[in-house]
């Protein structure tokens, strides 16, 4: 239902904008939240000449550990329009009642360019579908692998951060939230296992959304002198502070 509301409001806004000009020549939509691809698909069906690039930095139908995302699709005009559009383009509409499967397959069918951020990700998505499906063959031919773009240098200096850092320590930063596949213990436990002398040379600065539980965990591990827990920063301040750190810590998801 929320996707229907988003698409209806989006299509109304697009029509209002296009009354004052020639209309869109290009579309770009991102994988999450998923309504972005649905809105782009509908606009593509109604304006076949527009060039649509769909980004797949995350799969739609599977989560970070490869499990099926599930939410019931809502029957109605939006679904009917997608079904007829998939058929016109030589695809087989999903038998699934899962909204994520519909969004993924409609995007693979209709987008002019599919952007993946690594090759394994691309193979994972295409291998979810029968190899002899003509939609998948066309999608593979229209797909590219490219990393996320990096911000230009001037953005790193746009908003100077006043966050204090001790120049006598090795300052390590973790920016971001923790998810089921990225446990905070993975970040904190190694510091607890260091000798007191080694810990005295380090400072871990964590910038995250849920600070309360993390602070309790830091205290329980006896790391209050080593780990500073902070709330999330505005984007431009984050960029500036990231350059001031000695080390940026990234924790990959645990997946099969």
């Amino acid at each position: 239902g929320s996707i229907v509301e988003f698409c209806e409001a989006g299509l109304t806004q697009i029509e209002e904008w296009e009354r004052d000009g020639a209309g869109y020549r290009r579309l770009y939509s991102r994988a999450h939240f998923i309504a972005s691809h649905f809105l782009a698909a509908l606009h593509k069906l109604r304006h076949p000449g527009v060039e649509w690039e769909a980004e797949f930095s995350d799969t739609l139908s599977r989560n970070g550990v490869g499990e099926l995302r599930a939410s019931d699709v809502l029957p109605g005009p939006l679904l009917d329009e997608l079904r007829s559009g998939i058929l016109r383009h030589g695809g087989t509409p999903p038998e699934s009642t899962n909204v994520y499967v519909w969004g993924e397959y409609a995007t693979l069918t209709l987008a002019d360019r599919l952007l993946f951020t690594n090759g394994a990700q691309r193979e994972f998505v295409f291998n979810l579908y029968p190899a002899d499906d003509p939609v998948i063959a066309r999608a593979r031919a229209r797909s590219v692998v490219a990393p996320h773009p990096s911000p230009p240098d001037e953005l790193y200096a746009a908003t100077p951060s006043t966050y204090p850092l001790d120049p006598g320590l090795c300052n390590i930063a973790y920016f971001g939230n923790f998810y089921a596949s990225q446990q905070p213990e993975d970040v904190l436990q190694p510091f607890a296992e260091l000798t007191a002398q080694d810990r005295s040379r380090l400072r871990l600065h964590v910038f995250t959304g849920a600070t309360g539980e993390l602070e309790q965990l830091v205290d329980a591990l006896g790391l209050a002198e080593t780990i500073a827990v902070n709330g999330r920063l505005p984007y431009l301040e984050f960029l500036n502070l990231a350059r001031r750190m000695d080390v940026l810590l990234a924790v990959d998801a645990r997946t099969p």
Side-chain angles (χ1 to χ4, degrees):
S2 62
I3 292 175
V4 173
E5 292 176 4
F6 177 84
C7 289
E8 289 175 346
L11 291 169
T12 298
Q13 181 65 71
I14 290 170
E15 290 174 2
E16 181 179 324
W17 284 335
E18 291 194 329
R19 281 198 295 267
D20 299 324
Y24 280 97
R25 296 191 303 273
R26 296 183 302 276
L27 295 177
Y28 180 85
S29 61
R30 287 202 59 184
H32 286 291
F33 72 124
I34 190 176
S36 172
H37 280 347
F38 275 100
L39 177 57
L42 291 169
H43 187 74
K44 174 69 175 178
L45 286 172
R46 299 179 186 191
H47 302 82
V50 72
E51 183 180 342
W52 175 22
E53 180 177 76
E55 186 256 22
F56 265 88
S57 64
D58 291 285
T59 58
L60 269 62
S61 67
R62 301 300 192 275
N63 64 18
V65 293
E67 298 168 342
L68 186 69
R69 300 182 197 269
S71 182
D72 289 338
V73 74
L74 184 67
L78 188 156
L79 189 64
D80 293 342
E81 188 171 353
L82 285 176
R83 181 182 288 108
S84 63
I86 289 171
L87 286 168
R88 289 200 310 273
H89 287 78
T92 303
E95 296 181 2
S96 171
T97 59
N98 188 335
V99 69
Y100 293 100
V101 172
W102 272 90
E104 187 169 80
Y105 190 77
T107 304
L108 294 174
T109 303
L110 302 172
D112 298 290
R113 191 167 184 256
L114 297 156
L115 179 60
F116 295 88
T117 48
N118 63 73
Q121 183 186 64
R122 176 169 63 178
E123 293 308 308
F124 180 79
V125 170
F126 289 150
N127 288 336
L128 296 173
Y129 300 92
D132 58 355
D133 186 337
V135 162
I136 300 305
R138 291 199 309 271
R140 184 180 291 277
R142 297 196 304 269
S143 67
V144 297
V145 174
H148 282 304
S150 297
D153 277 351
E154 56 266 25
L155 288 188
Y156 288 88
T159 302
S161 173
T162 58
Y163 184 84
L165 294 176
D166 185 338
L169 299 177
C170 177
N171 289 290
I172 306 169
Y174 177 87
F175 295 95
N177 288 332
F178 295 95
Y179 302 95
S181 57
Q182 296 161 309
Q183 299 292 337
E185 289 85 349
D186 295 342
V187 174
L188 306 185
Q189 188 61 39
F191 289 88
E193 297 177 9
L194 293 173
T195 65
Q197 182 179 359
D198 284 337
R199 278 201 304 272
S200 69
R201 299 162 52 204
L202 305 173
R203 186 72 164 163
L204 173 65
H205 309 267
V206 180
F207 299 86
T208 189
T211 57
E213 294 180 9
L214 193 60
E215 287 172 340
Q216 293 177 9
L217 182 57
V218 168
D219 288 339
L221 291 170
L223 295 174
E225 297 298 318
T226 306
I227 298 175
V229 179
N230 305 273
R232 297 178 67 179
L233 295 175
Y235 181 66
L236 292 177
E237 185 180 351
F238 145 69
L239 288 181
N240 183 261
L241 184 56
R243 280 217 168 152
R244 292 174 52 207
M245 293 291 176
D246 299 303
V247 178
L248 300 178
L249 181 61
V251 182
D252 205 352
R254 294 178 183 176
T255 72

